[in-house]
Amino acid sequence: MENRIFNKEMECMSRKDLESLQLERLKALVDYCEKNSAFYAKRLAEAGVTADKIKCLSDIEYIPYTTKDDLRDTYPFGMLSVPKEKIVRVHASSGTTGNPTVVAYTKEDLENWSEQVARLAMAAGANESTMVQICFGYGMFTGALGLHYGLEKIGATVVPTSSGNTEKQLKFMRDFQTDAIVATPSYCMYLAEAARGMADKYPMESYNLKYGILGSEGSTPEMRAEIESHWGNGFFCTDNYGMSELNGPGMSGECMYRDGLHINEDHFLCEIIDSKTLSVLDKGSTGELVVTNLTKRGLPILRYRTKDITNINYDVCKCGRTTARMHKIIGRSDDMIKVRGVNVFPSQVESALIGIGGISPNYLIVLRREGFSDSMEVRVELTDGSLLDNYGELVALQKRIHDNIKNILGIEIKVTLVEPNSIERFTGKAKRVLDLRNENK
Ligand code: DLL
């Protein structure tokens, strides 16, 4: 894979120059928020912060954190900093109870976003002669359109197949001789497995896939190795991180050396904090990632608590980029799980069970990797064991629970009704998720 850099000036800047650019952008952002955002003007005034108070990067600590709840509480447009007519795109997070988190972009925000994604896509191996199939679902999710415009910016040929329709995906891959795929690691694996299943008709050599720009969910090194060996022919994949609140994909991604995810630091100022004490930790420590989007204007984000756990390495990479690299996501400081690319909170399952007679509030979510895709089973306890003998009633109850949960999460699940008192009880925090996805790997 060739080592090409999309924006050398920004990606290979000296740390001193980068930090002064970040400081300049941070001051401008605080000033902008004071003047244009009713939400932040109030927050900043309460904390006694003005742009003049920011004299060095660590002065960011004067600024209060922003959380997902802030976005939900101000749903849909309470955090906009421009009149609505200046907004040219809106996205929203997947699968949340109550109000989703809505994010909005001005024209300038979209240009910055495409630039951020273009840099990471090139770091991942794409260039103007790449034909790339985007297998993320097009829609309110940021993954597909984010990669789409970033890849077009570098001149790659985008094939917007979206997710699903496996046979068609594979047909296009063979017929177009697609070079690269954009997908979640699990969908990439699923496609590889499906391709192998048809190998008697279409041998693996009929594909030309060279690399995968993967992201939106984590993958262990073992899983990555398995995906690569399933595609074979030297297939190589990189990990890409982002979140809707921070534009979407484009925040960080791996280069060919795969030794951490390069952060677009001229746009994203990162801190690592202790999730319990909320204090900022020393450079190199592991903790919760907090990000300020220095250039976002439609819906600015100051010190956003991502709840994702990682650490940041500031050494210069072998690829020549000077941008810091974050470790692959190690975990979450809350209980969010990602299932087939969708964000799921156990509390959503809980809310789906409320009001249904004949079941107790005890449930267990069991996650498995089945046929290289995630499967989610929800075990729910009956209050009356005799129901187990009444097939008709049991099936009706199961269907009601299934439909309630599916409506809220938007993904297919399996519901299993179990005997009274058969789900483990906890004296402390209940463990509601049994994640078996990396077992036997
Ligand atoms: O998943 C944005 C994205 C799309 C990133 C495509 C990369 C590629 P959300 O749907 O808002 O946005 O989900 C954000 O997903 O807080 C992490 O917990 C998780 N996540 C995203 N990328 C990774 C990754 C998009 N590479 C949430 N590794 C984040 C592990 C990831 N977790």
Side-chain angles (χ1 to χ4, degrees):
M1 191 167 118
E2 60 173 345
N3 178 26
R4 276 178 61 186
I5 298 178
F6 185 78
N7 186 338
K8 269 211 170 110
E9 190 192 348
M10 290 299 161
E11 295 177 80
C12 304
M13 214 182 242
S14 73
R15 181 120 310 257
K16 190 163 158 275
D17 288 350
L18 177 66
E19 287 184 352
S20 52
L21 178 64
Q22 287 180 319
L23 182 59
E24 189 189 304
R25 288 184 170 176
L26 179 62
K27 283 182 182 167
L29 175 65
V30 174
D31 184 55
Y32 174 85
C33 286
E34 277 172 12
K35 294 182 178 136
N36 298 286
S37 160
F39 173 87
Y40 280 119
K42 185 163 174 282
R43 273 274 161 96
L44 292 169
E46 279 164 6
V49 191
T50 56
D52 309 338
K53 216 171 160 185
I54 310 286
K55 302 222 177 329
C56 59
L57 282 178
S58 59
D59 288 342
I60 196 171
E61 289 185 42
Y62 295 128
I63 302 172
Y65 295 118
T66 305
T67 64
K68 214 181 212 6
D69 284 342
D70 292 323
L71 282 155
R72 288 202 184 123
D73 295 346
T74 55
Y75 173 89
F77 299 127
M79 280 175 70
L80 289 194
S81 299
V82 291
K84 239 205 278 171
E85 55 272 22
K86 292 265 178 229
I87 295 297
V88 295
R89 175 99 62 80
V90 171
H91 280 283
S93 67
S94 54
T96 40
T97 4
N99 292 335
T101 44
V102 170
V103 290
Y105 310 72
T106 62
K107 207 154 189 284
E108 187 195 347
D109 293 337
L110 285 188
E111 276 157 22
N112 282 327
W113 187 18
S114 303
E115 158 82 23
Q116 292 151 14
V117 175
R119 292 182 196 170
L120 301 181
M122 190 165 271
N127 59 40
E128 57 286 344
S129 52
T130 305
M131 176 163 296
V132 48
Q133 218 159 301
I134 298 191
C135 308
F136 281 140
Y138 277 73
M140 295 304 269
F141 175 55
T142 54
L145 287 171
L147 263 305
H148 185 113
Y149 288 102
L151 283 157
E152 282 188 356
K153 193 173 173 75
I154 60 179
T157 310
V158 169
V159 186
T161 43
S162 197
S163 55
N165 213 343
T166 307
E167 288 198 11
K168 230 353 171 350
Q169 296 274 8
L170 296 175
K171 177 176 167 53
F172 285 141
M173 264 178 209
R174 292 187 304 271
D175 295 351
F176 297 177
Q177 287 291 285
T178 306
D179 302 288
I181 172 178
V182 165
T184 55
S186 44
Y187 193 52
C188 185
M189 178 66 127
Y190 177 79
L191 284 172
E193 186 58 15
R196 288 210 164 258
M198 301 188 326
D200 48 341
K201 208 160 159 204
Y202 306 109
M204 291 311 278
E205 291 69 42
S206 55
Y207 297 89
N208 182 43
L209 268 198
K210 294 192 260 312
Y211 46 93
I213 302 174
L214 308 186
S216 185
E217 65 182 19
S219 57
T220 58
E222 293 77 18
M223 184 177 170
R224 165 142 85 196
E226 207 172 329
I227 296 173
E228 290 178 348
S229 78
H230 263 75
W231 277 112
N233 303 323
F235 183 73
F236 184 87
C237 43
T238 50
D239 185 8
N240 291 274
Y241 169 86
M243 65 198 310
S244 353
E245 296 89 323
L246 303 167
N247 287 346
M251 146 98 203
S252 66
E254 286 176 322
C255 66
M256 63 192 283
Y257 294 100
R258 300 198 296 200
D259 189 13
L261 285 75
H262 285 278
I263 301 168
N264 275 314
E265 281 189 282
D266 52 323
H267 292 275
F268 300 101
L269 182 54
C270 294
E271 303 166 80
I272 296 289
I273 68 164
D274 179 318
S275 312
K276 296 221 165 63
T277 64
L278 301 188
S279 54
V280 176
L281 299 176
D282 291 339
K283 278 196 168 166
S285 314
T286 298
E288 181 182 329
L289 176 69
V290 168
V291 187
T292 298
N293 189 336
L294 294 169
T295 47
K296 186 87 183 278
R297 289 297 183 264
L299 197 158
I301 292 288
L302 298 179
R303 297 194 92 200
Y304 193 73
R305 287 192 59 190
T306 65
K307 306 284 174 99
D308 290 313
I309 308 292
T310 184
N311 54 59
I312 301 177
N313 172 5
Y314 289 85
D315 297 341
V316 174
C317 179
K318 280 195 273 222
C319 70
R321 291 177 183 81
T322 52
T323 45
R325 285 162 288 156
M326 57 182 251
H327 193 283
K328 274 167 117 15
I329 298 298
I330 297 165
R332 295 271 306 173
S333 68
D334 63 9
D335 53 2
M336 188 183 94
I337 42 175
K338 203 125 193 185
V339 185
R340 295 201 292 275
V342 173
N343 299 339
V344 172
F345 288 91
S347 56
Q348 296 176 281
V349 171
E350 205 160 307
S351 69
L353 300 180
I354 291 172
I356 302 182
I359 54 169
S360 85
N362 289 301
Y363 65 93
L364 182 70
I365 298 172
V366 185
L367 301 170
R368 291 195 186 80
R369 188 97 56 204
E370 265 172 24
F372 302 108
S373 175
D374 296 336
S375 77
M376 178 168 155
E377 175 195 356
V378 182
R379 288 187 197 156
V380 184
E381 220 179 63
L382 293 167
T383 42
D384 176 6
S386 66
L387 205 66
L388 286 167
D389 301 326
N390 187 334
Y391 185 73
E393 266 187 56
L394 206 61
V395 170
L397 180 59
Q398 201 171 21
K399 181 170 180 333
R400 185 160 170 221
I401 298 171
H402 168 273
D403 293 352
N404 267 13
I405 299 177
K406 194 179 165 191
N407 265 340
I408 291 183
L409 301 183
I411 52 170
E412 195 48 71
I413 49 130
K414 178 183 168 204
V415 172
T416 310
L417 295 171
V418 296
E419 284 187 28
N421 295 315
S422 60
I423 291 180
E424 191 181 349
R425 302 294 195 267
F426 296 87
T427 46
K429 194 172 152 48
K431 202 170 168 305
R432 297 291 186 202
V433 181
L434 181 61
D435 195 341
L436 304 174
R437 288 178 293 185
N438 290 317
E439 303 268 306
N440 311 319
K441 290 246 169 262

